[in-house]
Structures are given as structure tokens and as C-alpha cells.
Amino acid sequence: MFSSQQGGLSEEDKSATFTGWAAVPGGNGVLEKWSYHPRPLVAAEIEIEITHCGICGSDIHFTTEGWGPITRPAIPGHEIVGTVVKRGEEATHQIGDRVGVGCLVACCRGPQVCEWCKRGEDQFCNNKTVTFNAPFKDGRGGISEGGFADRIRVYSDYAFKIPKEISSAEAASFFCAGITTYTPLKRYKAGPNTRLGVIGIGGLGHIALQWAAAMGCREIVAISGRDNKKDEAFKLGATKFINTSDKGQIKEAARSIDLCLCTNASHNNNWEEYLSMMAPLSQLVLLALPESPISFVGSHLVSQDVAIVGSHLGSKGDIEEMLEFAAKHNIRPWIEKRPFEDCNEACKDVHAGKPRYRIVLEMNPSAAPSAAASSSS
């Protein structure tokens, strides 16, 4: 299927056609091949030939309409790695550079810059554009399309050069799972005095354990509802494991955690149990986005001065720092590579919680999608 990307709302570069796998209205989570004309390349932008894209839980929430109905074809994917093949004259990258793109592709541009961009916290910018299915706010119109595709155009300051020590397949997961877990550990100064908890040993949690070990946390507690990941948790850096199905273990862990990252968006989360493990003056940080409201009794918060907070991605500076930290400390996601054309089966496996621990789509040049292979309408 071919379609105008923007429905006539923005200028299109009709000399270029990008093709990927899109979520469609009424598609029940099944991705379909879809093509669009990108916006014209401007001075500060680059065009990336995509080689890899990680699958994130956010992609699944979106494609299965857990976050609301899909109203137009939209290509997901925000853990993107590829090679720069075109550049505007003001772009910060060169042809041939290996770069990655994460959850944001634009923020304030021009003379008027918001408070958050001035503070170096661009993830909170009111004018930001997330990587897929979001309107651009730069005055040029258009809607963003993600990385389950052959190419993408982005502002060059939202593409990050990948250290040579990190392979392209491994780098992909850092651009969402990596930065999502790195930023709160940095913000709340995780280190030798920190007893850290990680709820959920999955795509986010397995990277969080590695960050914590490299940061030298005093104790690293992996928290899960089953023992099936216990051995792997210790290999990833945990010093202690709590199985929440054993109420005795929860009781023994009362008031023992200074900082806890909740990477699990399960409907079955027992927030009272999690809060009982939090020490006075501690923070429970929500990283996963539940599809339904959460509830808890406020007594734990008030009596122990416990804070429940969220953490949203990280700034451009955080991403650059994270990549350097990962390269220096040999931190890598545990990944399974799949060809792009198997994206539907791969997404089903992510939805079912099967990966150990991230699936990364890999472009096979001989199997790359093309507009010629798509039907026109």
C-alpha cells in the first residue's frame, strides 16, 4: 500500500519513497507494508538508511491499541540504528556515520527556545516530537514515522554517533530501554551508598541491573514474580533476588530499598507490597506505562517519606553520556536478532514476554522493502 504520509498537510519530497511496516486502523496489532514520501531534507537534517531497530514494549502498546485507537497507518519503532546516506549542509554528521535515533526526533528550533531546552532537559520540551505518529511542531507540518522501515529523516542533533566498541544490533536497545533506565539512576545518584531494587527482569530490567553493577551500588535487588530468571539476574549484576510470590521474602525485605525502578507494567503489580519494601526517604520510580490506573494506600508514603515518581527518557546529553558509559563498562543488552520481514511474529513474541531480553529487527539488504513491491492506491 502506498499513501501520502501527511494527507496533504505538509510538503513532501516525492523524489523519495520510504517503506516500512505500519500499524493500521482495525489491524488488531498486525503490521502491514506501507510506503510514504518523507518531508524534504533541510539543512539541519540527515537521512539514515536503517540497518536495525529494536522492538520496545511501547511499540506493542501502540500497535495493539492499548494506548488508544489507531486512526491512520503509522510506522512504529524508536530504537533505530543505521548509516547516514544524505545530509543537509548544516548537519552535524557526515555521510557514512553510524548513528542511532531514540524516542524523540525534534524539539525547539529557531530563535525561541523553551525553558527546558535551555536547561538541557529537552525531553520535557513542549515542542518536542516523538519518533512515530506525532505531529511536527517546527512549522513545516507533517507527522513522524518510526524505524520499522528502510529509511528515516531526522534533525541531526537527534541522531547520536555510536561508539566503535558497540555493534549496531546491540546499540539499538540503548535508545529506549537503555536511556530509560540510565537516566533515573543518574538523577537519583545511584552508587556505593544505594540499595537498589529493580522490579521486572525483562527488556528494561536486565539493562538496569548492569548499570547498577557498573555504578557500584551497595546492594542490587532483582524483584520478580517467578524464579525462572533468578540465575540470569545474578549474571547481570544482582546481589539479591526476591520472588514476590513468596510473602516471606517480601516481609524480610521490609524497609530495605533506597531506590527502586519499576520496569513492569503488569496489571497484577501489588503496589502495597512494593511500597512495604521501600526504606524511609526512598524513591519508587515508574518506568513502564500501565494501560490502567494504579492504586495504593497512602500510609507507606506518609509514614516513611517515600516518593513515587516517574522518569521520562533522558536528554540529548544523557544519551551521549550513556553510550560512552556503556562502551567503557562493557554493558550490552541481551538480544535476539530477527529479520525485518518477520516483524509481526517478533512483535507477538515481545507481547507474550518471550525474549531474553530484547528483540532487534535486522535489515537484510536482499529483503529490504521497496515501494516497487507495494501496491499503489
Side-chain angles (χ1 to χ4, degrees), residues 55-57 79 173-174 176-178 180-181 198-211 229 236 263-264 332-335 350 353 355-359:
I55 302 177
C56 177
E79 295 184 338
S173 298
F174 283 124
C176 182
T180 296
T181 48
V198 177
I199 300 170
I201 313 307
L204 273 68
H206 89 286
I207 299 179
L209 293 175
Q210 295 181 71
W211 295 137
K229 298 178 181 178
L236 289 160
T263 72
N264 187 341
R332 302 291 187 272
W334 291 12
I335 62 170
V350 172
R356 291 288 195 276
Y357 283 94
R358 301 291 281 191
I359 290 180

PDB file of all heavy atoms in Angstrom, residues 55-57 79 173-174 176-178 180-181 198-211 229 236 263-264 332-335 350 353 355-359:
ATOM      1  N   ILE A  55      12.600  -3.660  19.151  1.00  0.00           N
ATOM      2  CA  ILE A  55      11.174  -3.672  19.453  1.00  0.00           C
ATOM      3  C   ILE A  55      11.014  -3.388  20.933  1.00  0.00           C
ATOM      4  O   ILE A  55      11.577  -4.075  21.785  1.00  0.00           O
ATOM      5  CB  ILE A  55      10.520  -5.015  19.109  1.00  0.00           C
ATOM      6  CG1 ILE A  55      10.715  -5.336  17.633  1.00  0.00           C
ATOM      7  CG2 ILE A  55       9.034  -4.991  19.446  1.00  0.00           C
ATOM      8  CD1 ILE A  55      10.159  -6.702  17.221  1.00  0.00           C
ATOM      9  N   CYS A  56      10.222  -2.358  21.237  1.00  0.00           N
ATOM     10  CA  CYS A  56      10.002  -1.915  22.610  1.00  0.00           C
ATOM     11  C   CYS A  56       8.575  -2.244  23.025  1.00  0.00           C
ATOM     12  O   CYS A  56       7.674  -2.352  22.181  1.00  0.00           O
ATOM     13  CB  CYS A  56      10.250  -0.408  22.684  1.00  0.00           C
ATOM     14  SG  CYS A  56       9.947   0.320  24.302  1.00  0.00           S
ATOM     15  N   GLY A  57       8.358  -2.352  24.325  1.00  0.00           N
ATOM     16  CA  GLY A  57       7.003  -2.542  24.819  1.00  0.00           C
ATOM     17  C   GLY A  57       6.059  -1.443  24.376  1.00  0.00           C
ATOM     18  O   GLY A  57       4.864  -1.672  24.155  1.00  0.00           O
ATOM     19  N   GLU A  79      13.985   2.580  18.387  1.00  0.00           N
ATOM     20  CA  GLU A  79      15.330   2.152  18.770  1.00  0.00           C
ATOM     21  C   GLU A  79      16.083   1.880  17.463  1.00  0.00           C
ATOM     22  O   GLU A  79      16.310   0.753  17.076  1.00  0.00           O
ATOM     23  CB  GLU A  79      15.286   0.904  19.648  1.00  0.00           C
ATOM     24  CG  GLU A  79      14.618   1.128  20.997  1.00  0.00           C
ATOM     25  CD  GLU A  79      14.659  -0.098  21.892  1.00  0.00           C
ATOM     26  OE1 GLU A  79      14.806  -1.233  21.373  1.00  0.00           O
ATOM     27  OE2 GLU A  79      14.554   0.062  23.120  1.00  0.00           O
ATOM     28  N   SER A 173      18.957  -1.153  21.338  1.00  0.00           N
ATOM     29  CA  SER A 173      18.160  -1.162  22.576  1.00  0.00           C
ATOM     30  C   SER A 173      18.546  -0.049  23.539  1.00  0.00           C
ATOM     31  O   SER A 173      17.746   0.305  24.414  1.00  0.00           O
ATOM     32  CB  SER A 173      18.292  -2.517  23.272  1.00  0.00           C
ATOM     33  OG  SER A 173      17.784  -3.551  22.452  1.00  0.00           O
ATOM     34  N   PHE A 174      19.726   0.508  23.394  1.00  0.00           N
ATOM     35  CA  PHE A 174      20.115   1.604  24.284  1.00  0.00           C
ATOM     36  C   PHE A 174      19.253   2.848  24.075  1.00  0.00           C
ATOM     37  O   PHE A 174      19.102   3.656  24.987  1.00  0.00           O
ATOM     38  CB  PHE A 174      21.584   1.978  24.072  1.00  0.00           C
ATOM     39  CG  PHE A 174      22.555   1.013  24.703  1.00  0.00           C
ATOM     40  CD1 PHE A 174      23.525   0.391  23.940  1.00  0.00           C
ATOM     41  CD2 PHE A 174      22.494   0.730  26.059  1.00  0.00           C
ATOM     42  CE1 PHE A 174      24.419  -0.490  24.517  1.00  0.00           C
ATOM     43  CE2 PHE A 174      23.384  -0.154  26.651  1.00  0.00           C
ATOM     44  CZ  PHE A 174      24.348  -0.771  25.869  1.00  0.00           C
ATOM     45  N   CYS A 176      16.107   3.321  23.800  1.00  0.00           N
ATOM     46  CA  CYS A 176      14.913   3.456  24.643  1.00  0.00           C
ATOM     47  C   CYS A 176      15.152   2.746  25.962  1.00  0.00           C
ATOM     48  O   CYS A 176      15.231   3.367  27.000  1.00  0.00           O
ATOM     49  CB  CYS A 176      13.657   2.926  23.955  1.00  0.00           C
ATOM     50  SG  CYS A 176      12.173   3.139  24.990  1.00  0.00           S
ATOM     51  N   ALA A 177      15.309   1.420  25.923  1.00  0.00           N
ATOM     52  CA  ALA A 177      15.497   0.663  27.167  1.00  0.00           C
ATOM     53  C   ALA A 177      16.715   1.155  27.941  1.00  0.00           C
ATOM     54  O   ALA A 177      16.688   1.273  29.171  1.00  0.00           O
ATOM     55  CB  ALA A 177      15.639  -0.824  26.856  1.00  0.00           C
ATOM     56  N   GLY A 178      17.782   1.461  27.223  1.00  0.00           N
ATOM     57  CA  GLY A 178      18.999   1.909  27.886  1.00  0.00           C
ATOM     58  C   GLY A 178      18.843   3.249  28.555  1.00  0.00           C
ATOM     59  O   GLY A 178      19.126   3.403  29.747  1.00  0.00           O
ATOM     60  N   THR A 180      16.119   4.902  29.259  1.00  0.00           N
ATOM     61  CA  THR A 180      15.023   4.909  30.228  1.00  0.00           C
ATOM     62  C   THR A 180      15.495   4.445  31.603  1.00  0.00           C
ATOM     63  O   THR A 180      15.030   4.953  32.630  1.00  0.00           O
ATOM     64  CB  THR A 180      13.872   4.021  29.730  1.00  0.00           C
ATOM     65  OG1 THR A 180      13.339   4.574  28.523  1.00  0.00           O
ATOM     66  CG2 THR A 180      12.754   3.924  30.753  1.00  0.00           C
ATOM     67  N   THR A 181      16.424   3.518  31.643  1.00  0.00           N
ATOM     68  CA  THR A 181      16.921   3.010  32.924  1.00  0.00           C
ATOM     69  C   THR A 181      18.154   3.768  33.418  1.00  0.00           C
ATOM     70  O   THR A 181      18.369   3.884  34.632  1.00  0.00           O
ATOM     71  CB  THR A 181      17.252   1.511  32.810  1.00  0.00           C
ATOM     72  OG1 THR A 181      18.045   1.269  31.622  1.00  0.00           O
ATOM     73  CG2 THR A 181      15.971   0.696  32.694  1.00  0.00           C
ATOM     74  N   VAL A 198      15.143  -3.488  41.433  1.00  0.00           N
ATOM     75  CA  VAL A 198      14.663  -3.475  40.044  1.00  0.00           C
ATOM     76  C   VAL A 198      13.490  -4.439  39.954  1.00  0.00           C
ATOM     77  O   VAL A 198      13.665  -5.655  40.118  1.00  0.00           O
ATOM     78  CB  VAL A 198      15.768  -3.876  39.049  1.00  0.00           C
ATOM     79  CG1 VAL A 198      15.206  -3.921  37.629  1.00  0.00           C
ATOM     80  CG2 VAL A 198      16.945  -2.907  39.120  1.00  0.00           C
ATOM     81  N   ILE A 199      12.299  -3.905  39.736  1.00  0.00           N
ATOM     82  CA  ILE A 199      11.093  -4.719  39.603  1.00  0.00           C
ATOM     83  C   ILE A 199      10.897  -5.051  38.134  1.00  0.00           C
ATOM     84  O   ILE A 199      10.739  -4.164  37.301  1.00  0.00           O
ATOM     85  CB  ILE A 199       9.860  -3.971  40.134  1.00  0.00           C
ATOM     86  CG1 ILE A 199      10.030  -3.625  41.615  1.00  0.00           C
ATOM     87  CG2 ILE A 199       8.599  -4.803  39.926  1.00  0.00           C
ATOM     88  CD1 ILE A 199       8.965  -2.668  42.137  1.00  0.00           C
ATOM     89  N   GLY A 200      10.916  -6.350  37.835  1.00  0.00           N
ATOM     90  CA  GLY A 200      10.746  -6.788  36.456  1.00  0.00           C
ATOM     91  C   GLY A 200      12.082  -7.017  35.790  1.00  0.00           C
ATOM     92  O   GLY A 200      12.812  -6.059  35.515  1.00  0.00           O
ATOM     93  N   ILE A 201      12.432  -8.271  35.523  1.00  0.00           N
ATOM     94  CA  ILE A 201      13.716  -8.589  34.890  1.00  0.00           C
ATOM     95  C   ILE A 201      13.429  -8.934  33.436  1.00  0.00           C
ATOM     96  O   ILE A 201      13.321 -10.098  33.045  1.00  0.00           O
ATOM     97  CB  ILE A 201      14.418  -9.755  35.617  1.00  0.00           C
ATOM     98  CG1 ILE A 201      14.396  -9.534  37.127  1.00  0.00           C
ATOM     99  CG2 ILE A 201      15.854  -9.896  35.099  1.00  0.00           C
ATOM    100  CD1 ILE A 201      14.944  -8.192  37.571  1.00  0.00           C
ATOM    101  N   GLY A 202      13.246  -7.884  32.655  1.00  0.00           N
ATOM    102  CA  GLY A 202      12.924  -8.044  31.241  1.00  0.00           C
ATOM    103  C   GLY A 202      13.752  -7.110  30.397  1.00  0.00           C
ATOM    104  O   GLY A 202      14.929  -6.870  30.678  1.00  0.00           O
ATOM    105  N   GLY A 203      13.123  -6.542  29.362  1.00  0.00           N
ATOM    106  CA  GLY A 203      13.847  -5.704  28.419  1.00  0.00           C
ATOM    107  C   GLY A 203      14.506  -4.502  29.053  1.00  0.00           C
ATOM    108  O   GLY A 203      15.629  -4.126  28.698  1.00  0.00           O
ATOM    109  N   LEU A 204      13.834  -3.852  30.011  1.00  0.00           N
ATOM    110  CA  LEU A 204      14.421  -2.725  30.734  1.00  0.00           C
ATOM    111  C   LEU A 204      15.239  -3.205  31.916  1.00  0.00           C
ATOM    112  O   LEU A 204      16.361  -2.761  32.146  1.00  0.00           O
ATOM    113  CB  LEU A 204      13.335  -1.752  31.211  1.00  0.00           C
ATOM    114  CG  LEU A 204      12.883  -0.657  30.247  1.00  0.00           C
ATOM    115  CD1 LEU A 204      12.144  -1.248  29.059  1.00  0.00           C
ATOM    116  CD2 LEU A 204      11.993   0.356  30.964  1.00  0.00           C
ATOM    117  N   GLY A 205      14.663  -4.124  32.692  1.00  0.00           N
ATOM    118  CA  GLY A 205      15.280  -4.530  33.945  1.00  0.00           C
ATOM    119  C   GLY A 205      16.650  -5.149  33.775  1.00  0.00           C
ATOM    120  O   GLY A 205      17.546  -4.935  34.603  1.00  0.00           O
ATOM    121  N   HIS A 206      16.856  -5.918  32.704  1.00  0.00           N
ATOM    122  CA  HIS A 206      18.151  -6.588  32.563  1.00  0.00           C
ATOM    123  C   HIS A 206      19.259  -5.588  32.262  1.00  0.00           C
ATOM    124  O   HIS A 206      20.429  -5.833  32.590  1.00  0.00           O
ATOM    125  CB  HIS A 206      18.072  -7.683  31.494  1.00  0.00           C
ATOM    126  CG  HIS A 206      18.383  -7.261  30.097  1.00  0.00           C
ATOM    127  ND1 HIS A 206      17.522  -6.505  29.326  1.00  0.00           N
ATOM    128  CD2 HIS A 206      19.483  -7.488  29.318  1.00  0.00           C
ATOM    129  CE1 HIS A 206      18.064  -6.298  28.151  1.00  0.00           C
ATOM    130  NE2 HIS A 206      19.249  -6.873  28.110  1.00  0.00           N
ATOM    131  N   ILE A 207      18.915  -4.446  31.659  1.00  0.00           N
ATOM    132  CA  ILE A 207      19.920  -3.404  31.461  1.00  0.00           C
ATOM    133  C   ILE A 207      20.126  -2.613  32.750  1.00  0.00           C
ATOM    134  O   ILE A 207      21.256  -2.255  33.098  1.00  0.00           O
ATOM    135  CB  ILE A 207      19.511  -2.475  30.306  1.00  0.00           C
ATOM    136  CG1 ILE A 207      19.390  -3.263  28.999  1.00  0.00           C
ATOM    137  CG2 ILE A 207      20.537  -1.350  30.128  1.00  0.00           C
ATOM    138  CD1 ILE A 207      18.962  -2.442  27.799  1.00  0.00           C
ATOM    139  N   ALA A 208      19.043  -2.364  33.490  1.00  0.00           N
ATOM    140  CA  ALA A 208      19.153  -1.633  34.754  1.00  0.00           C
ATOM    141  C   ALA A 208      20.091  -2.336  35.727  1.00  0.00           C
ATOM    142  O   ALA A 208      20.882  -1.684  36.424  1.00  0.00           O
ATOM    143  CB  ALA A 208      17.771  -1.469  35.379  1.00  0.00           C
ATOM    144  N   LEU A 209      20.028  -3.667  35.785  1.00  0.00           N
ATOM    145  CA  LEU A 209      20.927  -4.410  36.674  1.00  0.00           C
ATOM    146  C   LEU A 209      22.383  -4.181  36.287  1.00  0.00           C
ATOM    147  O   LEU A 209      23.257  -4.035  37.154  1.00  0.00           O
ATOM    148  CB  LEU A 209      20.599  -5.902  36.627  1.00  0.00           C
ATOM    149  CG  LEU A 209      19.241  -6.338  37.202  1.00  0.00           C
ATOM    150  CD1 LEU A 209      19.015  -7.823  36.956  1.00  0.00           C
ATOM    151  CD2 LEU A 209      19.153  -6.030  38.696  1.00  0.00           C
ATOM    152  N   GLN A 210      22.645  -4.128  34.997  1.00  0.00           N
ATOM    153  CA  GLN A 210      24.026  -3.915  34.552  1.00  0.00           C
ATOM    154  C   GLN A 210      24.508  -2.501  34.863  1.00  0.00           C
ATOM    155  O   GLN A 210      25.657  -2.306  35.298  1.00  0.00           O
ATOM    156  CB  GLN A 210      24.125  -4.178  33.046  1.00  0.00           C
ATOM    157  CG  GLN A 210      23.853  -5.623  32.652  1.00  0.00           C
ATOM    158  CD  GLN A 210      23.989  -5.823  31.156  1.00  0.00           C
ATOM    159  OE1 GLN A 210      25.096  -5.788  30.605  1.00  0.00           O
ATOM    160  NE2 GLN A 210      22.872  -6.012  30.477  1.00  0.00           N
ATOM    161  N   TRP A 211      23.651  -1.485  34.640  1.00  0.00           N
ATOM    162  CA  TRP A 211      24.029  -0.122  35.023  1.00  0.00           C
ATOM    163  C   TRP A 211      24.382  -0.077  36.501  1.00  0.00           C
ATOM    164  O   TRP A 211      25.401   0.504  36.897  1.00  0.00           O
ATOM    165  CB  TRP A 211      22.886   0.851  34.786  1.00  0.00           C
ATOM    166  CG  TRP A 211      22.401   1.136  33.412  1.00  0.00           C
ATOM    167  CD1 TRP A 211      21.093   1.242  33.024  1.00  0.00           C
ATOM    168  CD2 TRP A 211      23.161   1.434  32.226  1.00  0.00           C
ATOM    169  NE1 TRP A 211      20.985   1.551  31.697  1.00  0.00           N
ATOM    170  CE2 TRP A 211      22.236   1.684  31.182  1.00  0.00           C
ATOM    171  CE3 TRP A 211      24.519   1.496  31.957  1.00  0.00           C
ATOM    172  CZ2 TRP A 211      22.640   1.992  29.887  1.00  0.00           C
ATOM    173  CZ3 TRP A 211      24.926   1.805  30.669  1.00  0.00           C
ATOM    174  CH2 TRP A 211      23.998   2.054  29.652  1.00  0.00           C
ATOM    175  N   LYS A 229      14.037 -16.442  36.190  1.00  0.00           N
ATOM    176  CA  LYS A 229      15.116 -15.553  35.745  1.00  0.00           C
ATOM    177  C   LYS A 229      16.150 -15.295  36.852  1.00  0.00           C
ATOM    178  O   LYS A 229      17.006 -14.424  36.700  1.00  0.00           O
ATOM    179  CB  LYS A 229      14.532 -14.226  35.269  1.00  0.00           C
ATOM    180  CG  LYS A 229      13.602 -14.362  34.066  1.00  0.00           C
ATOM    181  CD  LYS A 229      13.014 -13.014  33.666  1.00  0.00           C
ATOM    182  CE  LYS A 229      12.068 -13.157  32.483  1.00  0.00           C
ATOM    183  NZ  LYS A 229      11.439 -11.857  32.114  1.00  0.00           N
ATOM    184  N   LEU A 236      23.630 -10.865  35.556  1.00  0.00           N
ATOM    185  CA  LEU A 236      23.506  -9.477  35.088  1.00  0.00           C
ATOM    186  C   LEU A 236      23.958  -8.456  36.135  1.00  0.00           C
ATOM    187  O   LEU A 236      24.065  -7.272  35.828  1.00  0.00           O
ATOM    188  CB  LEU A 236      22.053  -9.202  34.702  1.00  0.00           C
ATOM    189  CG  LEU A 236      21.575  -9.889  33.417  1.00  0.00           C
ATOM    190  CD1 LEU A 236      20.058  -9.968  33.378  1.00  0.00           C
ATOM    191  CD2 LEU A 236      22.100  -9.146  32.189  1.00  0.00           C
ATOM    192  N   THR A 263      10.046  -1.519  36.260  1.00  0.00           N
ATOM    193  CA  THR A 263      10.069  -1.660  34.811  1.00  0.00           C
ATOM    194  C   THR A 263       8.907  -2.495  34.298  1.00  0.00           C
ATOM    195  O   THR A 263       8.823  -2.788  33.113  1.00  0.00           O
ATOM    196  CB  THR A 263      11.382  -2.317  34.350  1.00  0.00           C
ATOM    197  OG1 THR A 263      11.365  -3.705  34.711  1.00  0.00           O
ATOM    198  CG2 THR A 263      12.585  -1.637  34.991  1.00  0.00           C
ATOM    199  N   ASN A 264       7.999  -2.863  35.193  1.00  0.00           N
ATOM    200  CA  ASN A 264       6.924  -3.803  34.879  1.00  0.00           C
ATOM    201  C   ASN A 264       5.590  -3.069  34.830  1.00  0.00           C
ATOM    202  O   ASN A 264       5.205  -2.406  35.793  1.00  0.00           O
ATOM    203  CB  ASN A 264       6.898  -4.886  35.974  1.00  0.00           C
ATOM    204  CG  ASN A 264       5.944  -6.011  35.660  1.00  0.00           C
ATOM    205  OD1 ASN A 264       5.038  -5.875  34.838  1.00  0.00           O
ATOM    206  ND2 ASN A 264       6.134  -7.134  36.325  1.00  0.00           N
ATOM    207  N   ARG A 332      26.002  -4.374  27.699  1.00  0.00           N
ATOM    208  CA  ARG A 332      25.321  -4.681  26.449  1.00  0.00           C
ATOM    209  C   ARG A 332      23.957  -5.302  26.758  1.00  0.00           C
ATOM    210  O   ARG A 332      23.828  -6.101  27.690  1.00  0.00           O
ATOM    211  CB  ARG A 332      26.118  -5.685  25.606  1.00  0.00           C
ATOM    212  CG  ARG A 332      27.525  -5.239  25.254  1.00  0.00           C
ATOM    213  CD  ARG A 332      27.542  -4.084  24.266  1.00  0.00           C
ATOM    214  NE  ARG A 332      28.907  -3.804  23.836  1.00  0.00           N
ATOM    215  CZ  ARG A 332      29.742  -2.985  24.468  1.00  0.00           C
ATOM    216  NH1 ARG A 332      29.363  -2.347  25.570  1.00  0.00           N
ATOM    217  NH2 ARG A 332      30.961  -2.802  24.011  1.00  0.00           N
ATOM    218  N   PRO A 333      22.948  -4.985  25.967  1.00  0.00           N
ATOM    219  CA  PRO A 333      21.681  -5.689  26.097  1.00  0.00           C
ATOM    220  C   PRO A 333      21.831  -7.127  25.614  1.00  0.00           C
ATOM    221  O   PRO A 333      22.668  -7.422  24.755  1.00  0.00           O
ATOM    222  CB  PRO A 333      20.742  -4.900  25.178  1.00  0.00           C
ATOM    223  CG  PRO A 333      21.639  -4.292  24.154  1.00  0.00           C
ATOM    224  CD  PRO A 333      22.933  -3.992  24.871  1.00  0.00           C
ATOM    225  N   TRP A 334      21.043  -8.012  26.185  1.00  0.00           N
ATOM    226  CA  TRP A 334      20.973  -9.380  25.681  1.00  0.00           C
ATOM    227  C   TRP A 334      19.896  -9.380  24.596  1.00  0.00           C
ATOM    228  O   TRP A 334      18.726  -9.095  24.870  1.00  0.00           O
ATOM    229  CB  TRP A 334      20.615 -10.355  26.801  1.00  0.00           C
ATOM    230  CG  TRP A 334      21.697 -10.539  27.825  1.00  0.00           C
ATOM    231  CD1 TRP A 334      22.826  -9.791  27.980  1.00  0.00           C
ATOM    232  CD2 TRP A 334      21.733 -11.534  28.839  1.00  0.00           C
ATOM    233  NE1 TRP A 334      23.565 -10.254  29.043  1.00  0.00           N
ATOM    234  CE2 TRP A 334      22.924 -11.331  29.589  1.00  0.00           C
ATOM    235  CE3 TRP A 334      20.892 -12.579  29.204  1.00  0.00           C
ATOM    236  CZ2 TRP A 334      23.270 -12.119  30.671  1.00  0.00           C
ATOM    237  CZ3 TRP A 334      21.239 -13.384  30.294  1.00  0.00           C
ATOM    238  CH2 TRP A 334      22.414 -13.164  31.005  1.00  0.00           C
ATOM    239  N   ILE A 335      20.282  -9.718  23.382  1.00  0.00           N
ATOM    240  CA  ILE A 335      19.359  -9.528  22.255  1.00  0.00           C
ATOM    241  C   ILE A 335      19.191 -10.802  21.437  1.00  0.00           C
ATOM    242  O   ILE A 335      20.035 -11.698  21.456  1.00  0.00           O
ATOM    243  CB  ILE A 335      19.826  -8.392  21.325  1.00  0.00           C
ATOM    244  CG1 ILE A 335      21.192  -8.726  20.699  1.00  0.00           C
ATOM    245  CG2 ILE A 335      19.871  -7.066  22.057  1.00  0.00           C
ATOM    246  CD1 ILE A 335      21.606  -7.778  19.590  1.00  0.00           C
ATOM    247  N   VAL A 350       7.301 -10.496  21.653  1.00  0.00           N
ATOM    248  CA  VAL A 350       7.507  -9.462  22.671  1.00  0.00           C
ATOM    249  C   VAL A 350       6.250  -9.313  23.525  1.00  0.00           C
ATOM    250  O   VAL A 350       6.317  -9.215  24.758  1.00  0.00           O
ATOM    251  CB  VAL A 350       7.889  -8.119  22.015  1.00  0.00           C
ATOM    252  CG1 VAL A 350       7.915  -6.999  23.052  1.00  0.00           C
ATOM    253  CG2 VAL A 350       9.245  -8.231  21.325  1.00  0.00           C
ATOM    254  N   GLY A 353       6.050 -11.849  26.097  1.00  0.00           N
ATOM    255  CA  GLY A 353       7.128 -11.853  27.090  1.00  0.00           C
ATOM    256  C   GLY A 353       8.162 -12.934  26.882  1.00  0.00           C
ATOM    257  O   GLY A 353       8.844 -13.341  27.828  1.00  0.00           O
ATOM    258  N   PRO A 355      11.106 -12.891  24.829  1.00  0.00           N
ATOM    259  CA  PRO A 355      12.532 -12.612  24.576  1.00  0.00           C
ATOM    260  C   PRO A 355      13.388 -12.648  25.835  1.00  0.00           C
ATOM    261  O   PRO A 355      12.940 -12.333  26.933  1.00  0.00           O
ATOM    262  CB  PRO A 355      12.519 -11.194  23.991  1.00  0.00           C
ATOM    263  CG  PRO A 355      11.136 -10.981  23.496  1.00  0.00           C
ATOM    264  CD  PRO A 355      10.253 -11.757  24.422  1.00  0.00           C
ATOM    265  N   ARG A 356      14.640 -13.041  25.656  1.00  0.00           N
ATOM    266  CA  ARG A 356      15.673 -12.889  26.675  1.00  0.00           C
ATOM    267  C   ARG A 356      16.787 -12.042  26.051  1.00  0.00           C
ATOM    268  O   ARG A 356      17.743 -12.567  25.535  1.00  0.00           O
ATOM    269  CB  ARG A 356      16.251 -14.236  27.112  1.00  0.00           C
ATOM    270  CG  ARG A 356      15.325 -15.112  27.896  1.00  0.00           C
ATOM    271  CD  ARG A 356      15.109 -14.553  29.304  1.00  0.00           C
ATOM    272  NE  ARG A 356      14.521 -15.543  30.181  1.00  0.00           N
ATOM    273  CZ  ARG A 356      13.223 -15.817  30.276  1.00  0.00           C
ATOM    274  NH1 ARG A 356      12.374 -15.155  29.518  1.00  0.00           N
ATOM    275  NH2 ARG A 356      12.785 -16.731  31.107  1.00  0.00           N
ATOM    276  N   TYR A 357      16.751 -10.679  26.055  1.00  0.00           N
ATOM    277  CA  TYR A 357      15.691  -9.920  26.682  1.00  0.00           C
ATOM    278  C   TYR A 357      15.110  -8.858  25.754  1.00  0.00           C
ATOM    279  O   TYR A 357      14.137  -8.234  26.075  1.00  0.00           O
ATOM    280  CB  TYR A 357      16.210  -9.272  27.966  1.00  0.00           C
ATOM    281  CG  TYR A 357      16.318 -10.249  29.115  1.00  0.00           C
ATOM    282  CD1 TYR A 357      17.502 -10.906  29.390  1.00  0.00           C
ATOM    283  CD2 TYR A 357      15.210 -10.536  29.901  1.00  0.00           C
ATOM    284  CE1 TYR A 357      17.584 -11.800  30.443  1.00  0.00           C
ATOM    285  CE2 TYR A 357      15.290 -11.428  30.961  1.00  0.00           C
ATOM    286  CZ  TYR A 357      16.480 -12.067  31.223  1.00  0.00           C
ATOM    287  OH  TYR A 357      16.553 -12.964  32.248  1.00  0.00           O
ATOM    288  N   ARG A 358      15.752  -8.631  24.628  1.00  0.00           N
ATOM    289  CA  ARG A 358      15.229  -7.692  23.631  1.00  0.00           C
ATOM    290  C   ARG A 358      15.294  -8.350  22.260  1.00  0.00           C
ATOM    291  O   ARG A 358      16.221  -9.113  21.967  1.00  0.00           O
ATOM    292  CB  ARG A 358      16.046  -6.397  23.574  1.00  0.00           C
ATOM    293  CG  ARG A 358      16.141  -5.609  24.849  1.00  0.00           C
ATOM    294  CD  ARG A 358      14.859  -4.974  25.259  1.00  0.00           C
ATOM    295  NE  ARG A 358      14.531  -3.752  24.544  1.00  0.00           N
ATOM    296  CZ  ARG A 358      13.547  -2.939  24.911  1.00  0.00           C
ATOM    297  NH1 ARG A 358      12.792  -3.224  25.960  1.00  0.00           N
ATOM    298  NH2 ARG A 358      13.287  -1.844  24.217  1.00  0.00           N
ATOM    299  N   ILE A 359      14.326  -8.032  21.419  1.00  0.00           N
ATOM    300  CA  ILE A 359      14.389  -8.435  20.019  1.00  0.00           C
ATOM    301  C   ILE A 359      14.767  -7.222  19.190  1.00  0.00           C
ATOM    302  O   ILE A 359      14.203  -6.140  19.362  1.00  0.00           O
ATOM    303  CB  ILE A 359      13.048  -9.019  19.529  1.00  0.00           C
ATOM    304  CG1 ILE A 359      12.801 -10.391  20.186  1.00  0.00           C
ATOM    305  CG2 ILE A 359      13.041  -9.159  18.011  1.00  0.00           C
ATOM    306  CD1 ILE A 359      11.505 -11.047  19.768  1.00  0.00           C
TER     307      ILE A 359
END
